[in-house]
Amino acid sequence: MEKLKFRNKSEMPILGLGTWKSAPGEVYNAVKTAVEMGYRHIDCAAIYGNEKEIGKALSELINEGTVKREELWITSKLWNNNHGKDNVIPALKQTLTDLQLDYLDLYLIHWPVAFKHNVVNATKAEDYLSLEEQPIEGTWRGMEEAVKLGLTKNIGVSNFSVKKLKSLMEIAEIKPELNQVELHPYFQQNSLTEYCQSNNIHVMAYSPLGSSDRPVGLKKDDEPVLLEDTNIALIADKRGVSVAQLILAWIVQRGISVIPKSVNSSRLKQNLDAAEIHLSDTEIRDIAALNRNRRYVDAKFWEVPSGPYTTANVWDE
Ligand code: A2P
């Protein structure tokens, strides 16, 4: 499998396993099966509520000799209530304890959205801190400290716009290595990808298959179902691959890393194999023509009456 190179020579397998929405009870088997079949990259986050179970699977895989720690790429993310320089290291240490690891390969700021430290799920304006009250710069200093302490090899962000990335690049002593964002044929992120790729920032695609297992509160009645797209199905049929595989291959071929979530062993295998499919220029163009600028994860959930965040100021659109 292709690997993306980082500035410090770390190499990240371009396709990994997503674990958002993988319930405790399912994710243990998913991680064990995935690593046994050849996955070497797992994407985690404290807020997914399943890092302890992933940690159990990882420690067994390492202790049984299925894989060595240094052969794995493990990412996790700082939750919104741990922004601020002094909160980063304790949050990261908790994640490391849960994952039963000494270090991460990549640690990301999950959202450019800050909560008060004692709030895990913000529901009202008072639960939030604006980015003026809690600037990203302070949080980034904590992220840089984590690299210096050897708790993570690389640092980056998630859900950052070009505008926010530019501001971060100006103040960063250690530059962000990667921006993880929603990306798929209906939301292709062309200008963000261009900015990142010309500034040595890798892009990682979340919800590459449209995350149809999102909680109902994050879904809309009229939303198009990516995996049911008839145009993609036609191209996939001709090729003898699945719609999911075609989408993943298309993302990988743009030099973008991708983390499809599955808890099903045959779909895990399908997704892993997709990294080896090479599409023709015509197929790439045909999929590029399907862009609808349609987000599934729209950040509306951070909008509360009189609160500091709106979809417009989160995405800078
Ligand atoms: P499951 O976990 O049962 O396999 P995303 O990665 O965009 O968040 O999408 C995850 C959703 O897509 C889950 O519902 C997952 O179900 C499903 N999924 C994952 N891989 C495939 C595949 N190869 N074909 C069809 N559905 C898939």
Side-chain angles (χ1 to χ4, degrees), residues 157 160-170 176 178-179 192 195-196 201:
V157 295
F160 270 46
S161 64
V162 169
K163 185 177 172 197
K164 289 191 176 73
L165 278 173
K166 282 183 178 166
S167 312
L168 178 57
M169 291 289 270
E170 275 170 22
L178 181 144
N179 188 18
L192 181 109
Y195 171 79
C196 288
I201 301 171

Side-chain angles (χ1 to χ4, degrees), residues 21 207-211 213 227 244 260-263 267 270-271:
K21 310 173 262 76
S207 297
L209 305 177
S211 283
D213 56 345
L227 287 177
K261 170 264 177 187
S262 183
V263 292
R267 290 193 284 274
Q270 241 192 62
N271 298 348

Side-chain angles (χ1 to χ4, degrees), residues 4 14 159-163 165-166 169 177-206 250-258 284 288 291 293 295 317:
L4 295 182
I14 198 158
N159 296 301
F160 270 46
S161 64
V162 169
K163 185 177 172 197
L165 278 173
K166 282 183 178 166
M169 291 289 270
E177 290 279 355
L178 181 144
N179 188 18
Q180 184 181 117
V181 292
E182 176 175 350
L183 191 151
H184 46 71
Y186 287 171
F187 195 66
Q188 298 188 9
Q189 297 268 31
N190 294 326
S191 51
L192 181 109
T193 302
E194 254 167 53
Y195 171 79
C196 288
Q197 291 184 337
S198 53
N199 284 278
N200 286 321
I201 301 171
H202 291 298
V203 178
M204 192 185 286
Y206 75 67
W250 174 78
I251 294 173
V252 164
Q253 219 160 315
R254 294 174 69 195
I256 295 169
S257 54
V258 65
I284 290 173
N291 198 6
N293 279 321
R295 291 180 191 274
E317 280 169 357

Side-chain angles (χ1 to χ4, degrees), residues 29 36 38 40 45 51 58-59 75 91 127-129 169 172 192 205 242 260 276 289 299:
N29 278 330
E36 281 161 5
R40 291 293 177 265
E51 289 195 324
L58 292 177
S59 91
T75 300
D127 293 339
Y128 287 88
L129 294 168
M169 291 289 270
L192 181 109
S242 73
E276 311 306 331

